[in-house]
Amino acid sequence: MASTTATAAEGRPRGEAPRAKGTLYRGDLGMWSWVAHRITGVLTFFFLFVHVLDTALVRVSPNAYDTVIETYKHPLMIVFELGLLAAVLFHAFNGIRVMLVDFWSRGPSLQRPMLWTVLGLWLVLIIPAAISMITRAATELFGG
């Protein structure tokens, strides 16, 4: 009886290394984009959850709210703000790319160049922001 599925040796192009048993992904850029999109989405959700909770403190205890807001003014929190900015920027740009891949007829064939565009835009925006925010944090922390 003939099989409708090719064996691993038949399905692999000539010269390509065999994939390890039990692995689903090969670790290409698209997979890491997928992973980063999920991680940045969870981080953004976590920030929004914490933000709603700390804002709700104002109705429970204005003093507790003031204490929380004072901790946010610490220079170390600028590093967390930078992480939040990096996560939101990547998630937004990559989300647009995902929508284009899903709903644009040419999207699947252009998904790799669009990913490089997303990474380029992200770098162009995050590097100056990082320099500015880290400079501000260092100035506040060490005086200036």
Side-chain angles (χ1 to χ4, degrees):
M1 186 157 117
S3 173
T4 59
T5 59
T7 65
E10 294 168 349
R12 188 174 57 246
R14 186 177 286 269
E16 183 179 314
R19 197 167 72 191
K21 285 188 180 271
T23 60
L24 182 61
Y25 297 110
R26 296 182 194 161
D28 69 341
L29 197 57
M31 184 212 52
W32 291 113
S33 167
W34 181 87
V35 168
H37 193 73
R38 291 338 183 255
I39 290 171
T40 57
V42 168
L43 290 174
T44 303
F45 174 78
F46 178 71
F47 164 77
L48 291 173
F49 181 72
V50 169
H51 179 63
V52 167
L53 287 179
D54 67 19
T55 303
L57 271 176
V58 77
R59 297 195 40 93
V60 175
S61 170
N63 290 336
Y65 174 79
D66 290 339
T67 303
V68 169
I69 295 303
E70 281 302 313
T71 61
Y72 291 160
K73 293 179 182 177
H74 191 276
L76 181 63
M77 292 305 290
I78 294 173
V79 175
F80 290 111
E81 288 177 4
L82 179 60
L84 175 65
L85 177 64
V88 168
L89 278 177
F90 178 80
H91 193 77
F93 289 146
N94 196 50
I96 293 168
R97 183 190 70 86
V98 168
M99 287 188 293
L100 288 172
V101 168
D102 287 346
F103 298 115
W104 183 32
S105 61
R106 293 188 57 208
S109 63
L110 296 174
Q111 71 90 15
R112 187 171 293 273
M114 286 191 294
L115 180 56
W116 284 112
T117 303
V118 163
L119 293 174
L121 281 172
W122 182 81
L123 280 172
V124 163
L125 292 174
I126 203 65
I127 289 173
I131 292 169
S132 172
M133 293 173 83
I134 290 173
T135 302
R136 189 180 78 197
T139 301
E140 288 182 24
L141 197 57
F142 303 117

